[in-house]
Amino acid sequence: MGTFTCQVHARSRNYVSESEVCKLESLPLDFGDYHPLKPITVTESKTKKMNRKGSTSSTSSSSSSSVLDPLSSVLDGTDPLSLFAAAADPVTTTATMDSTRKKRDKDDSSAVGSDFEPWSSKRGEILARYTTTEKNSSIQFFTGKATTTGSAVSEKVRTRLEELDDLEEGSQKELLNLTQQDYMNRIEELNQSLKDAWSSDQKVKALKIVIQCSKLLSDTTVIQFYPSKFVLITDILDTFGKLVYERILSMCVDSRVSLPDNFSPESANDTAKETCLNWFFKIASIRELIPRFYVEAAILKCNKFLSKMGISECLPRLTSMIRGIGDPLVAVYARAYLCRVGMEVAPQLKESLNENFFDFLLTFKQIHGDTVQNQLVVQCVEIPLYLTLYSPAIDWILQCIAYHAPEVLLTEMMERCKNLGNNALLLNSVMSAFKAEFIAARSMDFIGMIKECDESGFPKHLLFRSLGLNLALADPPENDRLQILNEAWKVITKLKNPQVSYCLFCFAIHSVFNKREVNTVLADVIKHMTPDRAFEDAYPQLQSIIQKVITYIYDFSLLFSVEKFLPFLDMFQKESVRVEVCKCIMESFIKHQQESTKDPVILNALLHICKTMHDSVNALTLEDEKRMLAALINGFIKMVSFGRDFEQQLSFYVEARSMFCNLEPVLVQLIHSVNQLAMETRKVMKGNHSRKTAAFVRACVAFCFITIPSLSGIFARLNLYLHSGQVALANQCLSQADAFFKAAVSLVPEVPKMINVDGKMRPSDAFLLEFLCNFFSTLLVVPDHPEQGVLFLVRGLLNVIQDYTWEDNSDDKVRIYTNVLHLLSAMTQEVYIYHVDKVDSNDTLYGGDSKFLAEINKLCETVIAQILDHLKTLGKEEVCSYARTGDSVTVTLLTAILLCLKSALYLSFLFLPHSCQLSLSVNKPYFLGS
């Protein structure tokens, strides 16, 4: 054991000059040709090397916008070895074909713009809407004989002929009494069976599955389920069509070159054309009309391999085939499927799509024929319900026709609807399909047609709703607005069904939108919905009304001045629905309110709404829900400002604290807001508080001091104590600042070892270390209390750190002590690196007094001793641990590491206080030298 004595002095710091020296050099930047998104210019440099010794190399550069690799330019970015490997590896070949196919599919889908709503977006809605509790029937297929791969060609042909014979003779049986879910599961199994049969090269079996599934589309025994059945079956048809097209396409793909996106039939080889014709011949031999139509429509895209005019010739023929389908419901969905396929493969052939719909109009009277009426009687289905079954198909057909269609086509459609007696079903689909601008311009014409519609089959209020939704997107003629509302109101107010109120509002809210009309409509809705508490059965519609109001009224002072708005909110008696409505209103307020407000109408209404959300919180409320509600309430609090009336602002925060005490994030926001209010007061007074403002900022400080203990999160309390203490210090509230800092010091021992961070338990040491470092930075400028002694806050914090139980083998305590050394070193400077305005720190109070420096010296000795004790303990533990293993090399290495650590510590002494006489005891093995 030896003794190492050293005399070290803290270096005097001139922070201003050091800042100038360390400041980054500023260089002028020419922005003339600079832009962060500008394409990068590649510069090719050619260097000429000189052999003469001592000479410098000369470099000539030439720039070009792009440098092409000759191999990449010839082989389209693929090197020859990869190509040969791909040719030899079937897996690679398949992957290449898949990437090419995906690109082509993407390009094909881009033939129709993004403004066209795809069928996939309607699929889920149809399956959810058209359901049934009745039993369905499905088809169970026999697997038949499996063909062997190594059989002769004649045997393979004979096997296929036998399978076709079995198909014609009906090698399947019907499964009856399936529930809707069982039916859907069975269809999904058939879809998977189709894929499995195809992958196992059982093409005939795959065709058999598709044919039998198509036959199901002629069955309307459970008629209300037919739209959903159509969706499920056509999924299988789409899969089949894609498989056939990809197989034929694979025959045209060379190992090196693939077909371009818009290939011509001449690019297809004979094998592909022959296979394509074979598929069409197989389908042509199907006896029944419906499966023959659907299967051929499914592979309509394959005509691209045969002829340029193949698709344009097939579409009219398939349209004519539908005329042979007797059931109008089955026929209209067949037309919808043809439009689906047509828009995918040839969206430019709009004439065929128009002809398809006009054929439907010619046969529309079949809906009211005896055959259909008898069928509805047998199934106990009313005509209004039956007509809604047509809506998905007609809406889709009209959407395809109206896509980028001229305005004159709408005029023609309106004439045809008049010729059919203003059929409400067609009229509603027309208003849903065409551009809103076209519909809004003819609002009076549509109102006249709606008034003349027969209400027995399709409710009129749905027609007014569709018209109102169009008026939401496009304004009607200015001179017609009031007349439109008056004409519609005469019809709407006669409707008795409480559900009509939603449609009533949809129309009025988009026709003439001002405070008086909105109030009138809301009053009428309340009148319709209040008797017999009818609103309890119409919460979704009432919620939609609220959403539309707040969507089109951005001025919340105007909104809350509507007399009937709050009574309308009172109809939401169910708590969960009421909270959702309040959330919707608050989201709209935060989104659209651009400026702070102090309007008492807005404040009273939104306080009521926020109170409703807050009171819904209970012990069962999820944390995510609490965070969402707190975020909405905080958004409201941030938007409230009374300008220079700071006392009124503080009163609002006090009221908010009493109303939202169960949401901790709201209390945290209120503390931050009050601290900000105190700093705003300081800014207005330019740091020179009067008696009145001094009392006011003390009231703000008291608000924070009282509120912080109510928080449950310990680090939230620690950080807020520190933040609030800094605010108090900035406002010359020294005793209050000391109270905050003392509270923070006393709270440190309560920090648990593990804390909850985003739902996961994590060690708290890192968070505590970060807090203490910030605390030390603040303590540099905190003046000592005249009655508490020198550095009383630093001493108190060091005592707490010493008594705190740290994790074993943790260096956090040493890290903290190192930061304390930095703090003590900074305290010995004649002028501190930073100050708080109008607050005298210890450099001013003590003026470099020797007693003050002596106290700092004592603290430094204690802190350094603690650091060395930790190093000794760590060294002994590690050496003993490694010594047990007998690894002498490891022991030597660890000894060297500890020597380096102590050397670094000695060098840090240069920053310690003046005349710091240290007597350090070190072990001889770790002695570095004087």
Side-chain angles (χ1 to χ4, degrees), residues 484-495:
I484 291 171
L485 182 59
N486 291 333
E487 290 294 329
W489 209 256
K490 296 176 183 177
V491 179
I492 294 175
T493 52
K494 297 178 182 179
L495 305 175

Side-chain angles (χ1 to χ4, degrees), residues 131-190:
T131 60
T132 181
T133 56
E134 298 186 25
K135 303 295 184 179
N136 294 274
S137 62
S138 182
I139 300 297
Q140 175 70 39
F141 295 97
F142 293 124
T143 58
K145 299 179 180 179
T147 59
T148 58
T149 307
S151 60
V153 176
S154 59
E155 182 66 22
K156 187 175 182 180
V157 172
R158 185 181 304 110
T159 302
R160 289 191 173 184
L161 291 175
E162 290 176 357
E163 290 179 348
L164 287 173
D165 290 340
D166 291 341
L167 175 61
E168 295 297 329
E169 293 172 4
S171 62
Q172 71 282 332
K173 63 181 180 180
E174 189 175 21
L175 296 180
L176 300 176
N177 297 326
L178 293 178
T179 64
Q180 176 179 326
Q181 187 60 46
D182 292 339
Y183 188 90
M184 296 173 67
N185 294 338
R186 181 60 193 143
I187 294 297
E188 181 59 32
E189 291 175 5
L190 290 175

Side-chain angles (χ1 to χ4, degrees), residues 300-301 304 311 315 340-348:
L300 180 64
K301 189 177 182 180
K304 294 173 62 176
I311 295 177
L315 278 175
R340 269 182 57 190
V341 177
M343 288 297 291
E344 292 176 3
V345 302
Q348 72 278 6

Side-chain angles (χ1 to χ4, degrees), residues 66-79:
S66 62
V67 178
L68 297 178
D69 182 7
L71 292 178
S72 300
S73 61
V74 175
L75 299 173
D76 193 20
T78 307
D79 63 281

Side-chain angles (χ1 to χ4, degrees), residues 713-762:
I714 189 165
F715 279 101
R717 280 183 281 163
L718 283 172
N719 290 316
L720 286 173
Y721 274 135
L722 179 58
H723 183 212
S724 301
Q726 293 168 348
V727 172
L729 193 64
N731 285 278
Q732 299 108 53
C733 300
L734 301 183
S735 59
Q736 288 83 355
D738 283 344
F740 278 114
F741 296 142
K742 288 179 181 178
V745 171
S746 63
L747 190 59
V748 170
E750 300 179 16
V751 175
K753 296 301 178 183
M754 304 293 289
I755 58 173
N756 190 329
V757 179
D758 296 332
K760 297 181 180 179
M761 298 303 296
R762 295 184 179 180

Side-chain angles (χ1 to χ4, degrees), residues 39 56 84 118 163 212 222 274 293 317 354 362 389 397 400 453 484 491 568 603 711 740 760 770 792 889 908:
T56 58
F84 292 139
E163 290 179 348
Q212 294 303 326
V222 186
E274 183 180 355
F293 163 79
R317 179 172 56 80
N354 295 347
L362 293 175
L389 302 179
I397 294 172
C400 296
C453 282
I484 291 171
V491 179
F568 183 84
L603 296 186
L711 304 177
F740 278 114
K760 297 181 180 179
E770 180 183 3
F792 74 101
V889 177
S908 69

Side-chain angles (χ1 to χ4, degrees), residues 196-267:
D196 295 341
W198 191 272
S199 61
S200 60
D201 202 26
Q202 300 182 38
K203 304 298 188 297
V204 175
K205 180 181 178 181
L207 179 60
K208 182 198 307 184
I209 294 175
V210 175
I211 292 174
Q212 294 303 326
C213 289
S214 301
K215 287 183 178 181
L216 296 176
L217 291 175
S218 62
D219 178 25
T220 58
T221 52
V222 186
I223 198 167
Q224 61 267 34
F225 185 65
Y226 190 85
S228 294
K229 180 194 292 187
F230 169 80
V231 169
L232 297 172
I233 299 299
T234 52
D235 285 347
I236 297 179
L237 289 167
D238 293 341
T239 301
F240 176 73
K242 184 178 181 181
L243 292 173
V244 173
Y245 180 81
E246 290 176 353
R247 180 172 186 266
I248 300 174
L249 181 65
S250 65
M251 298 177 180
C252 303
V253 178
D254 192 274
S255 60
R256 296 194 180 191
V257 182
S258 60
L259 288 180
D261 299 329
N262 297 320
F263 65 88
S264 62
E266 291 77 12
S267 303

Side-chain angles (χ1 to χ4, degrees), residues 584-595:
C584 183
I585 295 174
M586 290 306 304
E587 288 172 357
S588 178
F589 175 79
I590 295 172
K591 178 180 179 181
H592 297 295
Q593 187 72 21
Q594 301 296 329
E595 298 179 353

